[in-house]
Amino acid sequence: MTQVVAITGAAGGIGARLMQRFTEAGCTVAGLDLPGACPPGDDRFLACDITDEEQVKEAFDRLAARHGRLDVLVNNAGISAIGGLLDHDVATYRRVLEVNYVGSLICTRAALPALTASRGRIVVLSSVAGFAPVLGRPAYVAAKHAVTGLFTALRPELAPRGISVTMVHPTFVTGGMTEVPRAAGVSRPVTGSEVTSDQVAREIVRAVSGGRDLLLVGRTARLAWWANRISPRGYLRLMVRRLRGNTP
């Protein structure tokens, strides 16, 4: 039976590649994104704001009516905020948390009955910033830590329903991601080799096919994962030195 995959943030860089790669893998895809972002005339898309619980419920009701099942939910939608503690107001911190964390929570709750019926899988797009500190992005780091913590806690709760969770932690992605406006003079620091949106999408499709619970995308992500576990203080010193030296 053809698997049905729902992807949030489906009109963005990684989201569009996920739509393509899951389709090529033989899946039926449904993309969720804001009304103004959905490609006109593409009936694969369901327009909704993932931070609005009622809109999300209606979108998943339409998905169920159209496809009759859901096998994989990819919580991909997210926004970033580049800058230090005082470069953004508290409302920005709330917005970044709302999209990255609350949006994933709302979508997961709406998809739960269908995923329980199919004994499906939830894929969560986190980041290196979801398991380790990353300089110059406190709002984003906090939101990604929150979503990582949520689904790490949910994994054993969902297992009796037959639902699996794949946590995805990419390193820096070429071109960055959607972000709130930066303060004047603030740039985007990166370190190590960046990965492309397509590389992230291809590896996610393989991870879902292989039933993997953890996916580290890119050499920098793998090094950061182990360095932060072996020596958190050493990782922090290295990360700060490298990011401060690689600010464009």
Side-chain angles (χ1 to χ4, degrees):
M1 182 176 292
T2 301
Q3 287 200 321
V4 177
V5 181
I7 301 163
T8 69
I14 295 176
R17 292 300 185 180
L18 284 166
M19 294 281 284
Q20 175 189 350
R21 292 300 181 181
F22 272 111
T23 298
E24 291 174 351
C27 300
T28 297
V29 297
L32 281 68
D33 215 314
L34 292 168
C38 294
D42 191 335
D43 62 5
R44 299 176 303 166
F45 280 80
L46 300 167
C48 73
D49 179 346
I50 64 163
T51 68
D52 185 308
E53 194 168 3
E54 188 57 36
Q55 288 188 35
V56 171
K57 181 181 182 303
E58 291 175 1
F60 278 93
D61 285 346
R62 296 199 304 272
L63 187 153
R66 182 180 300 176
H67 300 296
R69 62 182 292 118
L70 177 63
D71 299 279
V72 181
L73 168 64
V74 184
N75 284 311
N76 165 69
I79 59 173
S80 184
I82 308 299
L85 174 64
L86 301 180
D87 287 320
H88 301 292
D89 58 17
V90 173
T92 297
Y93 282 77
R94 286 197 180 105
R95 180 59 180 164
V96 174
L97 187 67
E98 190 174 33
V99 174
N100 289 283
Y101 171 75
V102 179
S104 295
L105 172 63
I106 290 173
C107 290
T108 298
R109 286 168 60 95
L112 196 59
L115 290 172
T116 300
S118 67
R119 301 181 68 82
R121 179 170 292 271
I122 300 167
V123 179
V124 182
L125 262 291
S126 185
S127 166
V128 169
F131 64 77
V134 178
L135 184 69
R137 297 162 170 82
Y140 181 68
V141 171
K144 288 303 187 182
H145 268 68
V147 78
T148 298
L150 172 65
F151 284 93
T152 299
L154 287 179
R155 181 178 278 124
E157 180 179 332
L158 297 176
R161 295 173 176 260
I163 300 173
S164 305
V165 176
T166 299
M167 293 298 310
V168 183
H169 298 287
T171 185
F172 300 101
V173 178
T174 303
M177 60 184 298
T178 301
E179 62 180 82
V180 299
R182 300 182 198 175
V186 173
S187 57
R188 175 179 175 259
V190 299
T191 183
S193 299
E194 296 182 81
V195 295
T196 66
S197 295
D198 191 56
Q199 182 179 346
V200 176
R202 284 188 286 108
E203 293 202 25
I204 287 173
V205 172
R206 285 199 292 265
V208 169
S209 176
R212 293 178 59 181
D213 293 333
L214 174 66
L215 175 61
L216 304 169
V217 186
R219 181 173 180 270
T220 300
R222 294 188 290 273
L223 290 174
W225 176 268
W226 290 109
N228 188 55
R229 275 152 181 74
I230 294 169
S231 176
R233 185 175 297 180
Y235 162 82
L236 189 61
R237 287 198 301 267
L238 179 62
M239 179 271 301
V240 169
R241 184 168 69 246
R242 294 189 67 173
L243 283 180
R244 283 181 175 161
N246 287 279
T247 301

